[in-house]
Amino acid sequence: MSTSSPVSAPIPAPRFKAQLEKVHRNIASVVRGKDAVIEDTLVCLLAGGHLLVEDLPGLGKTTLAYCLARSLDGEFSRIQFTADLLPGDVLGVSIYQQEKHEFVFHPGPVFANIVLADEINRATPKTQSALLEVMDRAKVTVDGRTHPVSAPFMVFATQNPVDYESTFPLPESQLDRFLLRLHMGYPDQAAEMEILRSSRRHYDQLEIAPVLTRDELATMQAAVSHVFIEDSVLEYLLRIVTATRTEAEFRAGLSTRASLALKSAAQARALLSGRTFVMPDDIHRMVRPVCAHRLGLRRPTADTLEERAAVEGVLSKILAALPQPV
């Protein structure tokens, strides 16, 4: 029995896979030695979600966002979040035009296809919350008027997990809007040697040709919800979610929204792999990046990195205790 909506035509999964491999190669030609991170980034893009990358400065977070945007024929926008940034600086403002005798809306930098929200936790909670509507509904409401953003739309946010000075931690409602949270990590020795050998250029000086159109991406994103999930695989997903709700180390378990996010990410990963059906390993592989930032310890640690590792450790224990369906 299928848990996905009926589709009128077969999903051309092999063609989608070939197109997405071109995007992967495009990004990997600049972001060296990070194939797993690039794969998860494409999963997030395919699922129509938003991405939070949490790591130290200088490890390629901005470059990854830029390469992703340039691999599409879309518009890229970078917003440097600071403590004095106002909601209008992000969303846009209505300005009265004397000759027209009316207010005219001037769109902010959020009106792009790939929006890099750099160091998002340096902005005040008021500015952070300005992104909630556009991340959830792909539209902006200013002065009672609603303005849709162009599709595809993805917020690619970065934050530093160890620099607490002049930062405002993201509230749970904001974290919940990110489909995945990733960390870049240091490159291995071979990858860093390649980086050192190459001529260093700023990210916006890179020459990256688009290899995927927005219409092609929209077709793929529409196909994700039609990827087949057999009931035993869906029950495996539900067992994982239920286990977080009874786990004594967690302050609270995963919500229904998190269950749907895990399902969508698994479907996107299956399509990225060239399949029209979800395997248990797709669920298993996406649990940590989809769920870890939605969970908190009952006894939180003082260090963000330690808490993240502890949460992922509990998730690994849950996964090890639950057998995958055959």
Side-chain angles (χ1 to χ4, degrees):
M1 178 180 178
S2 171
T3 62
S4 58
S5 303
V7 61
S8 57
I11 299 172
R15 176 166 62 83
F16 289 170
K17 181 183 179 183
Q19 291 174 308
L20 291 165
E21 284 175 347
K22 289 181 181 178
V23 180
H24 190 127
R25 288 194 298 269
N26 229 27
I27 300 173
S29 66
V30 178
V31 183
R32 309 280 186 172
K34 294 297 174 186
D35 287 336
V37 174
I38 296 171
E39 179 180 301
D40 285 345
T41 300
L42 292 179
V43 165
C44 191
L45 180 70
L46 263 185
H50 306 291
L51 181 64
L52 177 63
V53 182
E54 185 180 67
D55 222 317
L56 300 169
L59 294 180
K61 301 186 294 294
T62 301
T63 303
L64 174 61
Y66 182 82
C67 292
L68 175 66
R70 287 293 172 256
S71 296
L72 309 175
D73 66 342
E75 185 179 351
F76 174 72
S77 176
R78 178 176 181 265
I79 309 171
Q80 181 61 56
F81 278 71
T82 57
D84 59 352
L85 193 73
L86 299 175
D89 298 328
V90 176
L91 305 179
V93 294
S94 294
I95 299 176
Y96 185 76
Q97 290 194 353
Q98 186 69 39
E99 62 276 12
K100 294 184 177 180
H101 301 288
E102 64 180 5
F103 284 91
V104 177
F105 178 67
H106 292 257
V110 78
F111 286 83
N113 299 117
I114 306 293
V115 178
L116 173 61
D118 220 356
E119 296 185 300
I120 190 173
N121 57 337
R122 289 197 178 276
T124 62
K126 183 177 181 180
T127 302
Q128 290 175 7
S129 64
L131 286 172
L132 285 174
E133 181 188 21
V134 70
M135 290 177 67
D136 194 38
R137 306 296 299 165
K139 61 183 181 180
V140 170
T141 302
V142 176
D143 296 332
R145 293 187 177 182
T146 299
H147 311 273
V149 297
S150 299
F153 175 70
M154 179 184 188
V155 173
F156 189 118
T158 71
Q159 66 175 0
N160 186 342
V162 295
D163 185 2
Y164 295 103
E165 186 176 352
S166 301
T167 59
F168 302 88
L170 295 178
E172 292 181 2
S173 59
Q174 186 83 52
L175 285 171
D176 201 35
R177 296 311 193 275
F178 289 102
L179 179 66
L180 272 69
R181 182 186 67 181
L182 306 176
H183 63 97
M184 299 289 292
Y186 292 108
D188 59 34
Q189 190 171 9
E192 193 152 11
M193 182 61 77
E194 286 186 47
I195 296 170
L196 292 172
R197 287 194 185 110
S198 64
S199 57
R200 185 180 178 186
R201 290 175 291 176
H202 197 262
Y203 73 88
D204 59 2
Q205 295 174 331
L206 297 170
E207 297 178 2
I208 300 176
V211 293
L212 192 69
T213 68
R214 282 175 286 184
D215 288 342
E216 288 170 335
L217 176 59
T219 300
M220 295 179 191
Q221 289 178 331
V224 166
S225 62
H226 299 294
V227 173
F228 176 81
I229 307 183
E230 203 272 333
D231 275 354
S232 65
V233 178
L234 202 58
E235 288 167 2
Y236 174 60
L237 183 155
L238 189 55
R239 287 201 303 273
I240 295 171
V241 170
T242 303
T244 68
R245 297 169 182 171
T246 57
E247 173 56 56
E249 293 191 53
F250 289 149
R251 186 170 61 250
L254 293 170
S255 66
T256 303
R257 178 184 289 167
S259 304
L260 293 170
L262 183 55
K263 173 189 172 185
S264 180
Q267 289 174 304
R269 186 174 188 271
L271 196 60
L272 184 68
S273 302
R275 286 181 277 108
T276 58
F277 57 91
V278 173
M279 296 176 63
D281 189 61
D282 295 318
I283 305 290
H284 187 280
R285 174 66 178 76
M286 299 314 303
V287 166
R288 294 176 190 84
V290 171
C291 302
H293 63 287
R294 293 177 162 91
L295 295 166
L297 297 177
R298 191 177 296 276
R299 296 176 182 173
T301 63
D303 186 88
T304 306
L305 288 175
E306 286 182 8
E307 175 151 358
R308 181 175 69 186
V311 168
E312 292 183 354
V314 177
L315 285 173
S316 296
K317 182 183 71 174
I318 289 173
L319 290 171
L322 294 173
Q324 295 187 19
V326 178

